[in-house]
Amino acid sequence: MRAGKALFLVVLTGLCAALVACGRAPVSSGTDPAGPGLSRDGAARQDAATRWANDYCVAVGSLVDGLATMPSVDPSSPRRAVQTSSDLLGSMIGSFDGAVRKLDKLPPSPVQGGDRMRTDTVAEFTGIRDRASVAKQRLDVVRDATTIDQQTIGAANGPLDEVAKLNVLAGFDSVPELLDASAHAPVCEELTTRASGN
């Protein structure tokens, strides 16, 4: 199996666990969301939260898409392993950069806690991206070397392990109102369907 595809499946496993929570019953506010007790302001707030959650899922979903299309690692020789591992890390770095740009473009969260959730996600993505960049630089230094040690060949393992443990929607658990909203956001629902189908 391609390394990128295997990694994508692992990421989706984490996604599935997080997104199961998205299908939980909404936190009770003492008001029936579908009933006459919900004010116009309350309905507008729910709509705004759903739109924001959807845009958040678009941003983190772009990372999942990028990880799914990472190039393969060719282990046929130490040199090829280094070269293709560097290419894989370059693709990973680009995917994280794209997701962070999308997250940075989100408007302020309409509910308390959303901006902190986004900030934490950006920090996590940026940290992994930076460590992948360091690993790539290490590989690029020896890309054309005549001899390459096993420790150098395995430089990509650290960032790959981090990605395998990444749960891109974990932040919703800390913001109940957005967790509820994400259950009604089309892109979040699409991610749920994709996760359950793999």
Side-chain angles (χ1 to χ4, degrees):
M1 179 181 291
R2 291 180 54 191
K5 181 62 175 176
L7 196 59
F8 173 60
L9 293 176
V10 173
V11 172
L12 279 186
T13 299
L15 259 179
C16 188
L19 287 168
V20 166
C22 294
R24 291 199 308 241
V27 176
S28 174
S29 62
T31 309
D32 180 1
L38 186 65
S39 70
R40 185 174 299 172
D41 288 345
R45 180 182 172 90
Q46 281 189 342
D47 288 345
T50 299
R51 285 194 301 272
W52 197 90
N54 193 70
D55 289 343
Y56 182 92
C57 286
V58 169
V60 298
S62 71
L63 173 62
V64 175
D65 289 338
L67 295 178
T69 58
M70 289 193 301
S72 303
V73 173
D74 179 359
S76 60
S77 71
R79 180 177 293 184
R80 283 297 296 155
V82 164
Q83 291 172 342
T84 55
S85 293
S86 174
D87 293 342
L88 182 148
L89 288 172
S91 176
M92 181 192 300
I93 291 165
S95 296
F96 275 106
D97 285 344
V100 166
R101 281 194 299 271
K102 288 180 172 65
L103 287 168
D104 284 339
K105 289 180 180 178
L106 286 179
S109 172
V111 302
Q112 186 175 2
D115 290 328
R116 178 59 185 269
M117 179 181 86
R118 175 191 29 198
T119 298
D120 290 347
T121 300
V122 167
E124 182 179 25
F125 285 7
T126 300
I128 298 173
R129 182 258 182 228
D130 289 347
R131 289 185 286 277
S133 181
V134 170
K136 185 179 187 308
Q137 290 170 10
R138 182 179 174 190
L139 291 169
D140 288 343
V141 166
V142 298
R143 196 176 182 110
D144 297 317
T146 54
T147 58
I148 304 171
D149 61 76
Q150 288 297 318
Q151 187 175 4
T152 301
I153 292 173
N157 289 341
L160 289 173
D161 288 344
E162 287 193 81
V163 168
K165 298 172 184 175
L166 188 62
N167 184 342
V168 298
L169 296 183
F172 280 129
D173 290 334
S174 64
V175 188
E177 192 169 351
L178 286 176
L179 179 61
D180 178 37
S182 69
H184 308 287
V187 175
C188 296
E189 291 179 335
E190 180 185 347
L191 286 174
T192 304
T193 300
R194 289 170 56 188
S196 62
N198 284 279

